[in-house]
């Protein structure tokens, strides 16, 4: 058995396939590039949920139901938000989600889909001493997230955020999805399963990487020498954030989708931070330097750019602070987690692997 379960197949799924050698991501029969170019997040939620819930409505009705769920989550949790706001934004979101009912039905799934998108802007505003902005049930999911944040919800920015949510909606049996399926396999409710996914996503080796990408870009800019900074980092045994993947041996296809989104934003003047354009040019230089340094430092491993590198630039341009990047990742991935949890509940068996005992044995008493 490989340490880290590399190459172990732990589930059959109809949801997504990660082709690590070819650099392709398929989600329910559609390529990532097709979904990112033509689908809205609400439509992708329907694609993922299809077959796993009774009475799943059509696209337009489901998007409306997600809007209603945003309002319901806001009204349910608003009384508790002031208590949660002093926590780290990720912990506060997780604590808020833990208060939701723990059933397996469509209403539970919709509340959970809505929750990260509602809680993140509300908690951010409270932590800045501002009043939360209530969701608008009739708005598009991504556009409403930006409106609740109080930032510029230009159509271009809303489209960029929507494409991000689509891009990260599901990705095979990654650590957080596996954690979600383990909990769902015990027939615990969806909220319990999603909390497991949230726990796993938080780590810097998984969904916690994009915040440190911004810190890295700032530190490299201050140092004035990207290659030297990166070489020092690796010499100290540190990992370069936004690079490397367990499955991809070529460039993560999500990186290119998100880079194109950031490029489009940078070409427009109405981005909230105005940073996308200048950040992108610098980030491209750093990316090339990192690929060169990693190729020399780790010749035995093909370490390429992963999704988190351009996620950081996109979410920064959308007006989210670094500490909330993983929350926004969760807002996209939650639909994939829910679909996997349901697939596991419906088609799977309780996940209960074995461990090999390598500790001391008790003295045998005669
Ligand atoms: N920077 C420097 N070295 C890296 C690296 C990175 N980003 N990613 C992998 N490596 C190196 C490891 O140090 C190790 O080198 P060694 O054999 O000399 O010890 C080798 O590559 C294999 O690493 P391993 O931890 O076995 O690979 P993995 O499959 O578990 O790695 C990640 C996957 C994502 C955990 C890893 O690439 C990483 O930590 N990346 C940075 C964090 C990140 O961007 N996470 C988001 C992922 S989408």
């Amino acid at each position: 058995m490989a340490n880290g379960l590399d190459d172990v197949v732990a589930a059959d799924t109809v949801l997504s396939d990660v082709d690590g050698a070819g650099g392709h991501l398929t989600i329910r029969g559609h390529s990532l590039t097709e979904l990112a170019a033509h689908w809205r997040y609400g439509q992708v939620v329907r694609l993922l949920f299809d077959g796993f819930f009774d009475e799943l409505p059509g696209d337009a009705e489901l998007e409306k139901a997600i809007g209603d769920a945003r309002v319901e989550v806001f009204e349910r949790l608003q009384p508790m938000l002031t208590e949660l706001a002093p926590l780290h934004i990720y912990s506060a979101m997780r604590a808020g989600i833990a208060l939701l009912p723990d059933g397996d039905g469509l209403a539970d799934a919709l509340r959970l889909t809505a929750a990260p998108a509602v809680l993140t802007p509300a908690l951010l505003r409270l932590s800045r001493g501002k009043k939360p902005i209530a969701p608008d049930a009739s708005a598009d999911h991504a556009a409403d997230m930006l409106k609740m944040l109080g930032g510029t919800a230009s159509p271009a920015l809303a489209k960029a955020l929507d494409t991000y949510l689509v891009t990260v909606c599901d990705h095979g049996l990654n650590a957080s999805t596996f954690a979600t399926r383990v909990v769902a396999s015990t027939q615990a409710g969806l909220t319990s399963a999603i909390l497991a996914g949230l726990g796993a996503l938080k780590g810097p080796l998984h969904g916690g990487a994009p915040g440190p990408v911004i810190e890295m870009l700032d530190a490299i800019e201050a140092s004035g020498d990207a290659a030297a900074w990166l070489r020092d980092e690796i010499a100290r045994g540190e990992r370069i954030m936004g690079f490397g993947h367990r499955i991809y041996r070529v460039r993560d296809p999500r990186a290119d989708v998100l880079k194109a989104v950031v490029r489009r934003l940078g070409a427009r003047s109405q981005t909230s931070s105005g940073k996308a354009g200048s950040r992108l040019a610098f980030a491209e230089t750093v990316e090339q330097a990192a690929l060169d340094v990693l190729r020399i430092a780790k010749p035995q491993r093909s370490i390429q750019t992963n999704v988190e590198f351009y996620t950081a630039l996109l979410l920064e341009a959308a007006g989210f602070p670094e500490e909330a990047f993983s929350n926004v990742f969760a807002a996209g991935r939650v639909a994939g987690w829910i679909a996997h949890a349901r697939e596991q509940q419906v088609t799977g068996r309780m996940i209960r692997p074995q461990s090999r005992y390598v500790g001391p044995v008790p003295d045998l008493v005669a």
Side-chain angles (χ1 to χ4, degrees):
M1 179 202 71
N3 192 2
L5 301 182
D6 303 35
D7 303 325
V8 171
V9 174
D12 283 336
T13 184
V14 298
L15 293 166
S16 59
D17 180 52
V18 180
D19 170 2
H24 302 294
L25 170 60
T26 301
I27 296 174
R28 285 204 118 169
H30 301 268
S31 73
L32 169 67
T33 33
E34 181 209 333
L35 294 178
H38 302 296
W39 291 54
R40 286 189 309 279
Y41 185 66
Q43 296 174 297
V44 170
V45 171
R46 195 187 181 286
L47 179 72
L48 289 167
F49 285 6
D50 193 18
F52 296 120
F53 294 98
D54 295 337
E55 296 154 17
L56 193 66
D59 279 352
E61 292 82 2
L62 190 74
E63 289 190 64
K64 166 84 177 66
I66 295 171
D68 291 341
R70 286 196 304 275
V71 173
E72 187 197 334
V73 167
F74 184 79
E75 286 173 358
R76 244 178 210 269
L77 298 182
Q78 199 188 11
M80 276 73 90
L81 293 185
T82 317
E83 294 272 336
L84 300 179
L87 299 172
H88 184 279
I89 180 81
Y90 196 86
S91 305
M93 173 185 73
R94 195 181 48 196
I97 291 173
L99 297 169
L100 293 173
D102 203 9
D104 298 324
L106 182 59
D108 301 283
L110 293 175
R111 273 191 294 270
L112 287 163
T113 303
V118 170
L119 289 171
T120 303
L123 289 163
L124 273 175
R125 287 183 63 84
L126 279 169
S127 69
R128 294 165 178 170
K130 296 178 180 166
K131 238 180 115 213
I133 298 172
D136 169 1
S138 66
D140 176 77
H141 195 61
D144 203 24
M145 263 181 99
L146 294 174
K147 277 169 72 181
M148 287 187 271
L149 196 60
T152 318
S154 73
L157 214 48
K159 174 71 191 139
L161 182 60
D162 185 63
T163 306
Y164 170 75
L165 298 177
V166 168
T167 301
V168 300
C169 71
D170 198 38
H171 200 243
L173 205 56
N174 57 84
S176 57
T177 300
F178 183 51
T180 301
R181 288 189 79 122
V182 169
V183 173
S185 83
T186 69
Q187 302 295 337
L190 287 175
T191 299
S192 298
I194 291 337
L195 288 171
L198 284 167
L201 188 77
K202 180 170 182 252
L205 300 188
H206 190 7
V213 166
I214 294 294
E215 286 160 26
M216 174 179 81
L217 291 175
D218 288 342
I220 292 176
E221 200 161 16
S223 82
D225 185 342
W229 190 96
L230 291 159
R231 274 195 299 271
D232 281 359
E233 202 70 357
I234 290 176
R236 289 193 294 112
E238 298 293 340
R239 296 192 171 209
I240 309 302
M241 289 292 146
F243 294 86
H245 200 273
R246 176 65 62 81
I247 308 290
Y248 291 119
R249 288 293 157 261
V250 296
R251 203 175 157 80
D252 183 333
R254 299 169 299 174
D256 283 329
V257 167
L258 299 184
K259 183 175 176 174
V261 173
V262 177
R263 193 185 297 284
R264 278 197 296 276
L265 276 182
R268 293 169 182 264
S269 55
Q270 69 265 44
T271 63
S272 68
S273 66
K275 274 186 179 168
S278 57
R279 265 290 195 211
L280 179 61
F282 181 66
E284 283 177 315
T285 317
V286 170
E287 181 187 12
Q288 194 49 57
L291 293 172
D292 293 344
V293 166
L294 285 165
R295 192 169 51 246
I296 292 164
K298 306 281 175 186
Q300 75 288 3
R301 182 93 170 173
S302 170
I303 302 177
Q304 305 292 328
T305 316
N306 67 43
V307 64
E308 309 295 17
F309 193 72
Y310 288 104
T311 288
L313 270 65
L314 194 159
L315 298 185
E316 182 185 54
F320 290 96
E322 277 163 56
E323 67 270 20
F325 285 179
S326 306
N327 294 53
V328 188
F329 191 163
R333 181 56 57 85
V334 68
W337 288 335
I338 293 166
H340 275 274
R342 288 294 299 151
E343 186 178 52
Q344 183 67 41
Q345 287 175 336
V346 173
T347 65
R349 199 165 160 243
M350 188 173 80
I351 297 173
R352 203 302 185 191
Q354 291 270 25
S355 51
R356 186 173 51 228
Y357 181 65
V358 294
V361 290
D363 291 337
L364 292 176
V365 180

